[in-house]
Amino acid sequence: MREIGVGILGFGTVGAGVAAGLLKNRELMAERTGMDIVLRRIADLDITTDRGVEVDPSVLCTDAFSVISDPSVDIVVELIGGCGIAGKLVRAAIEAGKPVVTANKKLLAEQGCEIFKLAQEKGVDVFFGASVGGGIPVIRALRDGLAGNRIESVHGILNGTCNYILTRMEKEGLPFETVLKSAQEEGYAEAEPSLDVDGFDTLHKAAIIAALAYGVQPDVHTLSVEGIRGAVDGADIVYAGEFGYRIKLLAVIKNDGESVEIRVAPTMVPRDGMLASVSGVFNAALIKGDLSDKTLYYGRGAGRLPTASTVIGDILDVARNLSSGQPRAFVIPRTRMPLRIKAKGEEKSRFYVRLSIKDAPGSLAFASGIFGNHGVSISAALQKEPGSSCGGFATVVIITHEALRADVDAALEEISESPLSGGVPHCFGIAD
Ligand code: HSE
């Protein structure tokens, strides 16, 4: 039986999960693939901490480059993350003609273009299934099952930390900071949570999906991203519920034929829709293809074994390609016509707006007049009495008809600058 040697770079949570999975299911994988997938090397700066998996100590080392150059390693699995040393190692592996499996969303979102170009030149595979959706085969679905479709849209709940926080805020009526602190204590959120709660982790994933679906390689620093911190509070969650919606941190990737929209923002989704029922740490991606119509992918978006499951699936694909002698040199597809990426503010949808305005004659007419002046039509408005009037200011919630985000923002800026305004408005798109 042909042996395929695997070298893992990074012995953290996912690295240890991959090692455990490869050891546990070695025979099963051999039956399924006709190849013996052998864990040959693991590199990490810390090789003394107990990772909860028993590996032969001779497998462990601290020099990741020596793993790449080891002739017994056929596939390099990069699980360090980030654009620093991980980027150097991925490039070194490709240069050495070794296929790479990685879960590194930041690296691919920011430098994917160059990495896939290099992989194509060298004729080696770069597989990255675990970079989006952890244990959910979203990338595989886009790459394989839906490959014959024009992808019309992808709506994704792609960050378990944010979904966990929003779910608890809604169910328990707790403020963001309280839930974040408790999530950190329970190990559901990182001590430094900004990558998650400010939306960047989701944005990296959105950029990878857009690259796969549309062949675009956006500069992620120019894309529209809003997280949940400082944006969503308990009142919004309650009002969203009253209008029949739930708030989710959503990645939206859409193609209208001429341009591609890629953005991340707290968004209202219908309570009876598929995405609204995705709660806690779970992730989901709702993909609409021109042939398939809507398909939903749901599961654990993070975690040791779920993420390892996807990494190992990629290892087996690469092993099959090595065995057939035909690396697919899998690269991001390119569209025949370059698609423009929509600028911030160009997206169109209905919007939810929560305003605080002076509880005085003419205030509501003044605010609605400003929306009208900016071409934004109001579909519904709600002001409760008397409890919502606080310190002489009233809370008014407005749902607009479809409008351009830039027009809504311009109206909100004008309202905020007026002496009638009692605070910063909250505004979310509605994904109907
Ligand atoms: N930190 C991410 C999450 C998982 O909370 O979903 C890795 O992308």
Side-chain angles (χ1 to χ4, degrees):
M1 188 179 284
R2 177 165 180 186
E3 288 189 2
I4 299 284
V6 174
I8 298 176
L9 313 181
F11 201 25
T13 305
V14 179
V18 172
L22 287 175
L23 296 173
K24 177 172 182 276
N25 292 343
R26 183 170 169 181
E27 279 179 24
L28 176 82
M29 290 187 285
E31 279 168 24
R32 287 186 178 158
T33 64
M35 285 173 283
D36 190 13
I37 311 295
V38 188
L39 175 58
R40 290 254 162 77
R41 304 282 301 276
I42 300 174
D44 198 284
L45 291 178
D46 171 7
I47 52 172
T48 53
T49 299
D50 180 4
R51 310 287 181 171
V53 52
E54 256 183 55
V55 293
D56 185 333
S58 68
V59 162
L60 295 167
C61 70
T62 54
D63 179 5
F65 286 98
S66 76
V67 172
I68 292 171
S69 58
D70 184 332
S72 75
V73 169
D74 300 297
I75 302 174
V76 173
V77 180
E78 184 277 306
L79 298 169
I80 296 168
C83 290
I85 186 66
K88 289 197 178 84
L89 290 165
V90 165
R91 284 184 176 81
I94 298 171
E95 291 281 3
K98 299 216 171 162
V100 173
V101 172
T102 178
N104 193 334
K105 60 206 101 33
K106 185 170 163 61
L107 180 67
L108 295 180
E110 296 191 1
Q111 299 172 19
C113 208
E114 304 96 84
I115 286 171
F116 288 112
K117 188 162 173 280
L118 184 63
Q120 198 165 31
E121 281 165 18
K122 298 288 173 185
V124 298
D125 284 330
V126 174
F127 275 49
F128 50 95
S131 61
V132 177
I136 316 171
V138 181
I139 296 289
R140 190 170 288 264
L142 281 165
R143 191 188 68 205
D144 295 334
L146 300 174
N149 283 255
R150 287 176 192 276
I151 303 299
E152 294 178 5
S153 62
V154 181
H155 290 84
I157 295 172
L158 301 176
N159 186 272
T161 306
C162 288
N163 207 44
Y164 175 83
I165 292 174
L166 289 174
T167 303
R168 283 196 56 193
M169 284 173 73
E170 180 183 344
K171 288 205 170 130
E172 298 169 44
L174 294 170
F176 170 85
E177 291 298 345
T178 308
V179 181
L180 172 63
K181 190 160 177 288
S182 140
Q184 285 168 322
E185 283 161 8
E186 292 163 36
Y188 287 116
E190 302 280 348
E192 210 315 70
S194 54
L195 205 56
D196 292 317
V197 299
D198 297 329
F200 297 104
D201 174 78
T202 306
L203 186 71
H204 291 144
K205 294 167 181 169
I208 292 170
I209 290 175
L212 264 174
Y214 304 127
V216 293
Q217 293 278 329
D219 174 355
V220 285
H221 305 287
T222 64
L223 298 176
S224 177
V225 56
E226 204 183 333
I228 60 171
R229 172 157 58 183
V232 183
D233 72 21
D236 297 311
I237 290 173
V238 171
Y239 282 118
E242 290 187 16
F243 282 100
Y245 295 94
R246 194 162 269 156
I247 299 175
K248 296 289 181 189
L249 184 71
L250 217 59
V252 179
I253 303 104
K254 273 203 282 198
N255 176 8
D256 62 14
E258 288 171 1
S259 55
V260 176
E261 180 178 327
I262 308 165
R263 66 189 161 82
V264 172
T267 304
M268 300 210 324
V269 296
R271 278 175 84 100
D272 56 1
M274 288 190 264
L275 290 174
S277 57
V278 177
S279 59
V281 294
F282 283 85
N283 282 200
L286 182 61
I287 305 179
K288 186 161 189 279
D290 64 343
L291 308 179
S292 62
D293 201 3
K294 288 179 183 167
T295 53
L296 181 74
Y297 305 85
Y298 168 87
R300 292 188 184 276
R304 173 181 152 104
L305 291 180
T307 309
S309 155
T310 305
V311 171
I312 292 173
D314 280 354
I315 292 172
L316 298 186
D317 258 0
V318 173
R320 286 190 190 100
N321 293 348
L322 283 175
S323 163
S324 70
Q326 290 185 319
R328 278 203 283 176
F330 179 68
V331 291
I332 298 283
R334 297 194 191 291
T335 46
R336 280 179 297 131
M337 296 288 291
L339 288 163
R340 188 178 73 83
I341 294 168
K342 279 196 163 92
K344 285 179 191 172
E346 268 190 86
E347 72 268 19
K348 273 188 180 167
S349 74
R350 300 196 304 131
F351 289 92
Y352 157 100
V353 173
R354 178 163 64 90
L355 296 171
S356 172
I357 52 173
K358 209 168 192 65
D359 202 0
S363 282
L364 194 51
F366 167 78
S368 59
I370 290 178
F371 278 113
N373 293 343
H374 286 276
V376 178
S377 176
I378 293 171
S379 164
L382 173 74
Q383 180 184 341
K384 289 187 179 170
E385 63 151 24
S388 63
S389 180
C390 173
F393 288 91
T395 297
V396 175
V397 177
I398 285 168
I399 304 286
T400 73
H401 285 294
E402 187 175 85
L404 197 62
R405 176 72 197 227
D407 291 338
V408 174
D409 284 346
L412 293 178
E413 197 179 331
E414 204 176 322
I415 292 168
S416 299
E417 284 166 0
S418 128
L420 293 177
S421 170
V424 180
H426 285 213
C427 176
F428 308 120
I430 300 176
D432 283 303

